Amino acid sequence: MALPMSANGFLKALRAEGLTVVEVGDWREHNRNHKGPWGPVHGVMIHHTVTRGSARTVEICRDGYADLPGPLCHGVITKDGRVHLVGYGRANHAGLGDDDVLRAVIAEKALPPDNETNTDGNRHFYGFECENLGDGEDPWPEVQLEAIERAAAAVCRHHGWTERSVIGHLEWQPGKVDPRGFTMTEMRARIRDRLQ
């Protein structure tokens, strides 16, 4: 069981991993904690935003939508490789997913197919939204891929997790496709190499 790191600890861990971090407004207190607990935390979830334009992407991820209030993640990784912190605590990013997948993440074992939506992922995962249209054609600049790798590794390093604690939304919730444009197998290999 892992308690979430403090907001200041999160910021410090990201910067220690060599990331350029942008603090957005009152991100330390911006959360959905009134809807339920955050923690224990067990992993990191990667998403794509289906948006274009960094400023608008960060705004959407911070504020959310009428039917899905923000924050929609903890950090937004834009195409220039910067990590914009928009919230800390419970965030509306993972939704309901598969308890078998959560057990595999906790055990750091190979993931089973996600075929149920019976477990609250917002409670258990750090979330990074990554600026991309998610159409399989919008490019992923290397600087952005490296930032995803570094951000996930920073969280894993703090908690003593391996790369198996990092999953994509598509591995958690049936019907989700994000992130599209690179595979989580490739990203986990990058994170594994960084953690060695």
Coordinates of all heavy atoms in Angstrom, one line a residue, residues 98-183:
D98 N -10.9 -2.2 -14.6 CA -11.0 -3.7 -14.3 C -10.1 -4.0 -13.0 O -8.9 -3.7 -13.0 CB -10.4 -4.4 -15.5 CG -10.7 -5.9 -15.5 OD1 -10.4 -6.5 -14.4 OD2 -11.1 -6.5 -16.5
D99 N -10.8 -4.6 -12.1 CA -10.1 -5.0 -10.8 C -9.0 -6.0 -11.1 O -8.0 -6.0 -10.3 CB -11.1 -5.5 -9.8 CG -11.8 -6.8 -10.2 OD1 -12.0 -7.0 -11.4 OD2 -12.3 -7.5 -9.3
D100 N -9.1 -6.8 -12.1 CA -8.0 -7.8 -12.4 C -6.8 -7.0 -12.9 O -5.6 -7.4 -12.5 CB -8.5 -8.8 -13.5 CG -9.6 -9.7 -13.0 OD1 -9.6 -10.0 -11.8 OD2 -10.4 -10.1 -13.8
V101 N -7.0 -6.0 -13.6 CA -5.8 -5.1 -14.1 C -5.2 -4.5 -12.9 O -4.0 -4.5 -12.7 CB -6.3 -4.1 -15.1 CG1 -5.2 -3.1 -15.4 CG2 -6.8 -4.8 -16.4
L102 N -6.0 -4.0 -11.9 CA -5.4 -3.3 -10.7 C -4.6 -4.3 -9.9 O -3.5 -4.0 -9.5 CB -6.5 -2.7 -9.9 CG -6.1 -2.0 -8.6 CD1 -5.1 -0.8 -9.0 CD2 -7.2 -1.5 -7.8
R103 N -5.1 -5.5 -9.8 CA -4.4 -6.5 -9.0 C -3.0 -6.8 -9.7 O -2.0 -7.0 -9.1 CB -5.2 -7.8 -8.9 CG -6.2 -7.7 -7.7 CD -6.8 -9.1 -7.4 NE -7.7 -9.5 -8.4 CZ -9.0 -9.1 -8.4 NH1 -9.5 -8.3 -7.5 NH2 -9.8 -9.5 -9.4
A104 N -3.0 -6.9 -11.1 CA -1.8 -7.1 -11.8 C -0.8 -6.0 -11.6 O 0.4 -6.2 -11.5 CB -2.1 -7.4 -13.3
V105 N -1.3 -4.7 -11.6 CA -0.5 -3.6 -11.4 C 0.2 -3.6 -10.0 O 1.4 -3.4 -9.9 CB -1.3 -2.2 -11.6 CG1 -0.4 -1.0 -11.2 CG2 -1.7 -2.1 -13.1
I106 N -0.6 -3.9 -9.0 CA -0.1 -4.0 -7.7 C 1.0 -5.1 -7.6 O 2.0 -4.9 -6.9 CB -1.3 -4.3 -6.7 CG1 -2.2 -3.1 -6.6 CG2 -0.7 -4.6 -5.3 CD1 -3.5 -3.3 -5.9
A107 N 0.7 -6.2 -8.2 CA 1.7 -7.3 -8.2 C 2.8 -7.1 -9.2 O 3.8 -7.9 -9.2 CB 1.0 -8.6 -8.5
E108 N 2.7 -6.1 -10.0 CA 3.7 -5.8 -11.1 C 3.9 -7.0 -12.0 O 5.0 -7.5 -12.2 CB 5.0 -5.3 -10.5 CG 4.8 -3.9 -9.8 CD 6.0 -3.2 -9.5 OE1 7.0 -3.8 -9.0 OE2 6.1 -1.9 -9.8
K109 N 2.8 -7.6 -12.4 CA 2.7 -8.7 -13.3 C 2.2 -8.3 -14.7 O 1.6 -7.2 -14.8 CB 1.9 -9.9 -12.7 CG 2.5 -10.4 -11.4 CD 1.8 -11.6 -10.9 CE 2.5 -12.0 -9.6 NZ 2.8 -13.4 -9.5
A110 N 2.2 -9.2 -15.6 CA 1.7 -9.0 -17.0 C 0.2 -8.7 -16.8 O -0.5 -9.3 -16.0 CB 1.9 -10.2 -17.9
L111 N -0.3 -7.7 -17.6 CA -1.7 -7.3 -17.5 C -2.6 -8.3 -18.2 O -2.4 -8.7 -19.3 CB -1.9 -5.9 -18.1 CG -1.1 -4.8 -17.5 CD1 -1.3 -3.5 -18.3 CD2 -1.4 -4.6 -16.1
P112 N -3.8 -8.6 -17.6 CA -4.8 -9.4 -18.2 C -5.6 -8.4 -19.1 O -5.5 -7.2 -19.0 CB -5.7 -9.9 -17.0 CG -5.5 -8.8 -16.0 CD -4.1 -8.2 -16.2
P113 N -6.5 -9.0 -20.0 CA -7.3 -8.2 -20.8 C -8.3 -7.4 -19.9 O -8.7 -7.9 -18.8 CB -8.1 -9.2 -21.7 CG -7.3 -10.4 -21.6 CD -6.6 -10.4 -20.3
D114 N -8.6 -6.1 -20.2 CA -9.5 -5.4 -19.4 C -10.9 -5.6 -20.0 O -11.2 -5.3 -21.1 CB -9.2 -3.9 -19.5 CG -9.1 -3.3 -20.9 OD1 -8.6 -4.1 -21.8 OD2 -9.4 -2.2 -21.1
N115 N -11.8 -6.2 -19.2 CA -13.1 -6.6 -19.6 C -14.2 -6.2 -18.6 O -15.3 -6.7 -18.8 CB -13.2 -8.1 -20.0 CG -12.8 -9.0 -18.9 OD1 -12.8 -8.6 -17.7 ND2 -12.4 -10.2 -19.2
E116 N -13.9 -5.5 -17.6 CA -14.9 -5.1 -16.6 C -14.6 -3.6 -16.2 O -13.6 -3.1 -16.4 CB -14.7 -5.9 -15.3 CG -15.0 -7.4 -15.5 CD -14.8 -8.1 -14.2 OE1 -13.6 -8.2 -13.8 OE2 -15.8 -8.6 -13.6
T117 N -15.7 -3.0 -15.7 CA -15.6 -1.6 -15.2 C -16.2 -1.6 -13.8 O -17.3 -1.2 -13.6 CB -16.3 -0.6 -16.1 OG1 -17.6 -1.0 -16.3 CG2 -15.6 -0.5 -17.4
N118 N -15.4 -2.2 -12.8 CA -16.0 -2.4 -11.5 C -15.1 -1.8 -10.4 O -15.3 -2.0 -9.2 CB -16.1 -3.9 -11.2 CG -14.8 -4.7 -11.4 OD1 -13.8 -4.1 -11.5 ND2 -15.0 -6.0 -11.3
T119 N -14.1 -1.0 -10.8 CA -13.1 -0.5 -9.8 C -12.8 1.0 -10.1 O -12.6 1.4 -11.2 CB -11.8 -1.3 -9.8 OG1 -12.2 -2.7 -9.5 CG2 -10.8 -0.8 -8.8
D120 N -12.8 1.8 -9.1 CA -12.5 3.2 -9.2 C -11.0 3.5 -9.4 O -10.2 3.4 -8.5 CB -13.0 3.9 -7.8 CG -12.6 5.4 -7.7 OD1 -12.3 6.0 -8.8 OD2 -12.8 5.9 -6.6
G121 N -10.7 3.9 -10.6 CA -9.3 4.1 -10.9 C -8.8 5.5 -10.5 O -7.6 5.7 -10.3
N122 N -9.7 6.5 -10.4 CA -9.3 7.8 -9.9 C -8.7 7.8 -8.6 O -7.9 8.7 -8.2 CB -10.5 8.7 -9.9 CG -11.1 9.0 -11.3 OD1 -10.4 8.9 -12.3 ND2 -12.4 9.3 -11.4
R123 N -9.1 6.8 -7.8 CA -8.5 6.7 -6.4 C -7.1 6.2 -6.4 O -6.3 6.6 -5.6 CB -9.4 5.7 -5.6 CG -8.9 5.5 -4.2 CD -9.8 4.5 -3.5 NE -9.3 4.4 -2.1 CZ -9.9 3.7 -1.1 NH1 -11.1 3.1 -1.4 NH2 -9.4 3.6 0.1
H124 N -6.7 5.3 -7.4 CA -5.5 4.6 -7.3 C -4.4 4.9 -8.2 O -3.3 4.4 -8.2 CB -5.8 3.1 -7.5 CG -6.7 2.5 -6.4 ND1 -6.4 2.5 -5.1 CD2 -8.0 2.0 -6.5 CE1 -7.4 1.9 -4.4 NE2 -8.4 1.6 -5.3
F125 N -4.6 5.8 -9.2 CA -3.6 6.1 -10.2 C -3.3 7.6 -10.3 O -4.2 8.5 -10.3 CB -4.1 5.7 -11.6 CG -4.1 4.2 -11.8 CD1 -5.3 3.5 -11.6 CD2 -3.0 3.5 -12.2 CE1 -5.3 2.1 -11.7 CE2 -3.0 2.1 -12.4 CZ -4.2 1.4 -12.1
Y126 N -2.0 7.9 -10.4 CA -1.5 9.2 -10.9 C -1.9 9.3 -12.4 O -1.7 8.3 -13.1 CB 0.0 9.4 -10.8 CG 0.5 9.4 -9.3 CD1 0.8 8.2 -8.7 CD2 0.7 10.6 -8.7 CE1 1.4 8.2 -7.4 CE2 1.2 10.6 -7.4 CZ 1.6 9.4 -6.7 OH 2.1 9.4 -5.5
G127 N -2.3 10.4 -12.9 CA -2.7 10.5 -14.3 C -1.9 11.6 -15.0 O -1.8 12.7 -14.5
F128 N -1.4 11.3 -16.2 CA -0.8 12.2 -17.1 C -1.6 12.2 -18.4 O -1.7 11.2 -19.1 CB 0.7 11.9 -17.4 CG 1.5 12.1 -16.2 CD1 1.9 11.1 -15.4 CD2 2.0 13.4 -15.8 CE1 2.7 11.3 -14.3 CE2 2.8 13.6 -14.7 CZ 3.2 12.5 -13.9
E129 N -2.1 13.4 -18.8 CA -2.7 13.6 -20.1 C -1.7 14.2 -21.0 O -0.9 15.1 -20.7 CB -3.9 14.6 -20.0 CG -5.2 14.0 -19.4 CD -6.0 13.2 -20.3 OE1 -5.6 13.0 -21.5 OE2 -7.0 12.6 -19.9
C130 N -1.6 13.6 -22.2 CA -0.6 14.0 -23.2 C -1.2 14.6 -24.4 O -2.1 14.0 -25.0 CB 0.3 12.8 -23.5 SG 0.9 11.9 -22.1
E131 N -0.8 15.8 -24.8 CA -1.4 16.5 -25.9 C -1.2 15.8 -27.2 O -0.1 15.6 -27.7 CB -0.7 17.9 -26.0 CG -1.2 18.7 -27.2 CD -0.4 20.0 -27.4 OE1 0.5 20.3 -26.6 OE2 -0.6 20.7 -28.4
N132 N -2.3 15.3 -27.8 CA -2.3 14.6 -29.1 C -3.7 14.4 -29.5 O -4.6 14.2 -28.7 CB -1.6 13.2 -28.9 CG -1.2 12.6 -30.3 OD1 -2.1 11.9 -30.8 ND2 0.0 12.8 -30.7
L133 N -3.9 14.4 -30.8 CA -5.2 14.2 -31.4 C -5.7 12.8 -31.2 O -6.9 12.5 -31.3 CB -5.3 14.6 -32.9 CG -5.1 16.1 -33.2 CD1 -5.0 16.3 -34.7 CD2 -6.2 16.9 -32.5
G134 N -4.8 11.8 -31.0 CA -5.2 10.5 -30.8 C -5.8 9.8 -32.0 O -6.5 8.8 -31.8
D135 N -5.5 10.3 -33.1 CA -6.0 9.6 -34.4 C -5.0 8.7 -35.0 O -5.3 8.1 -36.1 CB -6.4 10.7 -35.4 CG -5.2 11.7 -35.7 OD1 -4.0 11.4 -35.3 OD2 -5.4 12.6 -36.5
G136 N -3.9 8.4 -34.4 CA -2.9 7.5 -34.9 C -2.0 8.2 -35.9 O -1.0 7.6 -36.4
E137 N -2.3 9.5 -36.3 CA -1.5 10.2 -37.3 C -0.8 11.4 -36.7 O 0.3 11.8 -37.2 CB -2.4 10.6 -38.5 CG -3.0 9.4 -39.2 CD -3.9 9.9 -40.3 OE1 -4.0 11.1 -40.7 OE2 -4.7 9.0 -40.9
D138 N -1.4 12.0 -35.7 CA -0.8 13.1 -35.1 C 0.6 12.7 -34.5 O 0.6 11.7 -33.7 CB -1.7 13.7 -34.0 CG -1.2 15.0 -33.4 OD1 -0.3 15.7 -34.1 OD2 -1.7 15.4 -32.4
P139 N 1.7 13.3 -34.8 CA 3.0 12.8 -34.4 C 3.2 13.0 -32.9 O 2.6 13.9 -32.3 CB 4.0 13.6 -35.2 CG 3.2 14.9 -35.6 CD 1.8 14.5 -35.7
W140 N 4.1 12.2 -32.3 CA 4.5 12.3 -31.0 C 6.0 12.7 -31.0 O 6.9 11.9 -31.3 CB 4.4 10.9 -30.2 CG 3.0 10.5 -30.0 CD1 2.2 9.8 -30.8 CD2 2.3 10.8 -28.8 NE1 1.0 9.6 -30.2 CE2 1.0 10.2 -29.0 CE3 2.5 11.6 -27.6 CZ2 0.0 10.3 -28.0 CZ3 1.5 11.6 -26.7 CH2 0.3 11.0 -26.8
P141 N 6.3 14.0 -30.8 CA 7.7 14.4 -30.8 C 8.5 13.7 -29.8 O 8.0 13.3 -28.7 CB 7.6 15.9 -30.5 CG 6.2 16.3 -30.8 CD 5.4 15.1 -30.5
E142 N 9.8 13.4 -30.1 CA 10.6 12.7 -29.2 C 10.7 13.4 -27.9 O 10.8 12.7 -26.8 CB 12.0 12.5 -29.8 CG 13.0 11.8 -28.9 CD 12.6 10.4 -28.4 OE1 11.8 9.7 -29.1 OE2 13.0 10.1 -27.2
V143 N 10.8 14.7 -27.9 CA 10.8 15.4 -26.6 C 9.6 15.2 -25.7 O 9.7 15.1 -24.5 CB 11.0 17.0 -26.8 CG1 9.8 17.6 -27.5 CG2 11.4 17.7 -25.6
Q144 N 8.5 14.9 -26.3 CA 7.3 14.6 -25.6 C 7.3 13.2 -25.1 O 7.0 12.9 -23.9 CB 6.0 14.8 -26.4 CG 4.7 14.7 -25.7 CD 3.5 14.9 -26.5 OE1 3.5 14.6 -27.8 NE2 2.4 15.3 -25.9
L145 N 7.7 12.3 -25.9 CA 7.8 10.9 -25.5 C 8.8 10.7 -24.3 O 8.6 10.0 -23.3 CB 8.3 10.0 -26.6 CG 7.2 9.8 -27.7 CD1 7.9 9.0 -28.9 CD2 6.0 9.0 -27.2
E146 N 9.9 11.5 -24.4 CA 10.9 11.4 -23.3 C 10.3 12.0 -22.0 O 10.6 11.5 -20.9 CB 12.2 12.2 -23.7 CG 13.2 12.1 -22.6 CD 14.6 12.7 -23.0 OE1 14.9 12.7 -24.2 OE2 15.2 13.3 -22.1
A147 N 9.5 13.1 -22.2 CA 8.9 13.6 -21.0 C 7.9 12.7 -20.3 O 7.8 12.6 -19.1 CB 8.2 14.9 -21.3
I148 N 7.1 11.9 -21.2 CA 6.2 10.9 -20.6 C 7.0 9.9 -19.8 O 6.7 9.5 -18.7 CB 5.4 10.2 -21.8 CG1 4.5 11.3 -22.4 CG2 4.6 9.1 -21.2 CD1 3.9 10.8 -23.8
E149 N 8.1 9.4 -20.5 CA 9.0 8.4 -19.8 C 9.5 9.0 -18.5 O 9.5 8.3 -17.5 CB 10.2 8.2 -20.8 CG 11.3 7.4 -20.3 CD 12.6 7.5 -21.2 OE1 12.4 7.6 -22.4 OE2 13.7 7.6 -20.6
R150 N 10.0 10.2 -18.5 CA 10.6 10.8 -17.3 C 9.6 11.0 -16.2 O 9.8 10.7 -15.0 CB 11.3 12.1 -17.6 CG 12.6 12.0 -18.4 CD 13.2 13.4 -18.7 NE 14.4 13.3 -19.5 CZ 15.6 13.3 -19.0 NH1 15.8 13.4 -17.7 NH2 16.7 13.2 -19.7
A151 N 8.4 11.5 -16.6 CA 7.3 11.7 -15.6 C 6.9 10.4 -14.9 O 6.8 10.3 -13.7 CB 6.1 12.4 -16.3
A152 N 6.7 9.4 -15.7 CA 6.3 8.1 -15.1 C 7.4 7.5 -14.3 O 7.1 7.0 -13.2 CB 5.9 7.1 -16.3
A153 N 8.6 7.6 -14.8 CA 9.8 7.1 -14.0 C 9.9 7.9 -12.7 O 10.3 7.3 -11.7 CB 11.1 7.2 -14.8
A154 N 9.6 9.2 -12.7 CA 9.8 9.9 -11.4 C 8.8 9.4 -10.4 O 9.2 9.3 -9.2 CB 9.5 11.4 -11.7
V155 N 7.6 9.1 -10.7 CA 6.6 8.6 -9.8 C 7.1 7.2 -9.3 O 7.0 6.8 -8.1 CB 5.2 8.6 -10.4 CG1 4.2 7.9 -9.4 CG2 4.8 10.0 -10.7
C156 N 7.5 6.3 -10.3 CA 7.9 5.0 -10.0 C 9.1 5.0 -9.1 O 9.2 4.2 -8.1 CB 8.2 4.2 -11.2 SG 6.8 3.8 -12.2
R157 N 10.0 5.9 -9.3 CA 11.3 6.0 -8.5 C 10.9 6.3 -7.1 O 11.4 5.7 -6.1 CB 12.2 7.0 -9.1 CG 13.6 6.9 -8.6 CD 14.5 8.0 -9.3 NE 14.6 8.0 -10.7 CZ 15.3 7.1 -11.5 NH1 15.9 6.1 -10.9 NH2 15.3 7.2 -12.8
H158 N 10.0 7.3 -6.9 CA 9.6 7.7 -5.6 C 9.0 6.5 -4.8 O 9.3 6.3 -3.6 CB 8.6 8.8 -5.6 CG 8.1 9.2 -4.3 ND1 8.7 10.0 -3.4 CD2 7.0 8.7 -3.6 CE1 8.0 10.1 -2.3 NE2 6.9 9.3 -2.4
H159 N 8.2 5.8 -5.4 CA 7.4 4.7 -4.7 C 8.2 3.3 -4.8 O 7.7 2.4 -4.1 CB 6.0 4.5 -5.4 CG 5.1 5.6 -5.0 ND1 4.6 5.8 -3.7 CD2 4.5 6.6 -5.8 CE1 3.8 6.9 -3.7 NE2 3.7 7.4 -5.0
G160 N 9.3 3.3 -5.5 CA 10.0 2.0 -5.6 C 9.3 1.0 -6.5 O 9.4 -0.2 -6.3
W161 N 8.5 1.5 -7.5 CA 7.8 0.7 -8.4 C 8.7 0.4 -9.6 O 9.6 1.2 -10.0 CB 6.5 1.4 -8.9 CG 5.5 1.6 -7.8 CD1 5.3 0.9 -6.7 CD2 4.5 2.6 -7.9 NE1 4.2 1.5 -6.0 CE2 3.7 2.5 -6.7 CE3 4.1 3.6 -8.8 CZ2 2.6 3.3 -6.4 CZ3 3.1 4.5 -8.5 CH2 2.3 4.3 -7.3
T162 N 8.3 -0.6 -10.4 CA 9.0 -0.9 -11.7 C 8.1 -0.3 -12.8 O 7.0 0.2 -12.5 CB 9.2 -2.4 -11.9 OG1 7.9 -3.0 -12.2 CG2 9.8 -3.1 -10.7
E163 N 8.5 -0.5 -14.0 CA 7.8 0.0 -15.2 C 6.4 -0.7 -15.3 O 5.5 -0.2 -15.9 CB 8.6 -0.2 -16.5 CG 8.6 -1.6 -17.0 CD 9.6 -2.6 -16.3 OE1 10.3 -2.1 -15.4 OE2 9.6 -3.8 -16.6
R164 N 6.2 -1.8 -14.6 CA 4.9 -2.6 -14.7 C 3.8 -1.8 -14.0 O 2.7 -2.2 -14.1 CB 5.1 -4.0 -14.2 CG 5.9 -4.9 -15.2 CD 5.9 -6.3 -14.7 NE 6.6 -7.2 -15.6 CZ 6.0 -7.9 -16.6 NH1 4.7 -7.7 -16.8 NH2 6.7 -8.7 -17.4
S165 N 4.2 -0.8 -13.2 CA 3.2 0.0 -12.5 C 2.6 1.1 -13.4 O 1.8 1.9 -13.0 CB 3.7 0.6 -11.2 OG 4.0 -0.4 -10.3
V166 N 3.1 1.2 -14.7 CA 2.6 2.2 -15.6 C 1.8 1.6 -16.7 O 2.2 0.6 -17.3 CB 3.9 2.9 -16.3 CG1 3.4 4.0 -17.2 CG2 4.8 3.5 -15.2
I167 N 0.5 2.1 -16.8 CA -0.4 1.5 -17.8 C -1.0 2.6 -18.6 O -1.0 3.8 -18.3 CB -1.5 0.7 -17.2 CG1 -2.4 1.5 -16.3 CG2 -0.9 -0.5 -16.3 CD1 -3.6 0.8 -15.8
G168 N -1.6 2.3 -19.8 CA -2.3 3.2 -20.6 C -3.8 3.0 -20.2 O -4.2 2.0 -19.7
H169 N -4.6 4.1 -20.5 CA -6.0 4.1 -20.3 C -6.7 2.9 -21.0 O -7.6 2.3 -20.5 CB -6.6 5.4 -20.7 CG -7.9 5.7 -20.1 ND1 -8.7 6.7 -20.6 CD2 -8.6 5.1 -19.1 CE1 -9.8 6.8 -19.9 NE2 -9.8 5.8 -19.0
L170 N -6.1 2.6 -22.2 CA -6.7 1.5 -23.0 C -6.5 0.1 -22.3 O -7.2 -0.9 -22.6 CB -6.1 1.4 -24.4 CG -4.7 0.9 -24.6 CD1 -4.4 0.8 -26.1 CD2 -3.6 1.7 -24.0
E171 N -5.6 0.0 -21.4 CA -5.3 -1.2 -20.7 C -6.2 -1.3 -19.4 O -6.2 -2.4 -18.7 CB -3.8 -1.3 -20.3 CG -2.9 -1.4 -21.5 CD -1.5 -1.3 -21.2 OE1 -1.1 -0.4 -20.5 OE2 -0.7 -2.2 -21.7
W172 N -6.8 -0.3 -19.0 CA -7.6 -0.2 -17.8 C -9.1 -0.3 -18.0 O -9.8 -1.0 -17.3 CB -7.3 1.1 -17.1 CG -8.2 1.5 -15.9 CD1 -9.1 2.5 -15.9 CD2 -8.2 0.8 -14.7 NE1 -9.7 2.5 -14.6 CE2 -9.2 1.5 -13.9 CE3 -7.5 -0.3 -14.1 CZ2 -9.5 1.1 -12.6 CZ3 -7.8 -0.7 -12.8 CH2 -8.8 0.0 -12.1
Q173 N -9.6 0.4 -19.1 CA -11.1 0.5 -19.3 C -11.4 0.0 -20.7 O -10.9 0.5 -21.7 CB -11.5 2.0 -19.1 CG -13.0 2.2 -19.0 CD -13.3 3.6 -18.7 OE1 -13.3 4.4 -19.7 NE2 -13.5 4.0 -17.5
P174 N -12.3 -1.0 -20.7 CA -12.8 -1.5 -22.1 C -13.3 -0.3 -22.9 O -14.0 0.6 -22.4 CB -13.9 -2.5 -21.7 CG -13.6 -2.9 -20.3 CD -13.0 -1.7 -19.6
G175 N -12.9 -0.3 -24.2 CA -13.4 0.7 -25.1 C -12.5 1.9 -25.3 O -12.6 2.7 -26.2
K176 N -11.6 2.1 -24.4 CA -10.6 3.2 -24.5 C -9.5 2.8 -25.4 O -9.1 1.7 -25.5 CB -10.1 3.6 -23.1 CG -11.1 4.1 -22.1 CD -11.7 5.4 -22.6 CE -12.7 6.0 -21.6 NZ -13.3 7.2 -22.1
V177 N -8.9 3.8 -26.1 CA -7.9 3.6 -27.1 C -6.6 4.4 -26.8 O -5.6 4.2 -27.5 CB -8.3 4.0 -28.5 CG1 -9.5 3.1 -28.9 CG2 -8.7 5.5 -28.6
D178 N -6.6 5.1 -25.7 CA -5.5 6.0 -25.5 C -4.5 5.3 -24.5 O -4.9 4.6 -23.6 CB -5.9 7.4 -24.9 CG -6.8 7.3 -23.7 OD1 -7.7 6.4 -23.6 OD2 -6.6 8.1 -22.7
P179 N -3.2 5.6 -24.8 CA -2.7 6.5 -25.8 C -2.5 5.8 -27.2 O -2.1 4.6 -27.2 CB -1.3 6.9 -25.3 CG -0.9 5.7 -24.5 CD -2.1 5.2 -23.9
R180 N -2.9 6.5 -28.2 CA -2.7 5.9 -29.6 C -1.5 6.7 -30.3 O -1.4 7.9 -30.2 CB -4.0 6.1 -30.4 CG -3.9 5.5 -31.8 CD -5.1 5.8 -32.6 NE -6.2 4.8 -32.2 CZ -7.4 4.9 -32.6 NH1 -7.8 6.0 -33.3 NH2 -8.3 4.0 -32.2
G181 N -0.7 5.9 -30.9 CA 0.4 6.5 -31.7 C 1.8 5.9 -31.2 O 2.8 6.1 -31.8
F182 N 1.8 5.3 -30.0 CA 2.9 4.5 -29.5 C 2.3 3.4 -28.6 O 1.2 3.5 -28.2 CB 3.9 5.4 -28.7 CG 3.4 6.0 -27.5 CD1 3.4 5.3 -26.2 CD2 2.9 7.3 -27.5 CE1 2.9 5.9 -25.1 CE2 2.4 7.9 -26.3 CZ 2.4 7.1 -25.1
T183 N 3.1 2.4 -28.4 CA 2.5 1.3 -27.5 C 3.0 1.4 -26.1 O 4.1 1.9 -25.9 CB 2.9 -0.1 -28.1 OG1 4.3 -0.3 -27.8 CG2 2.6 -0.2 -29.6

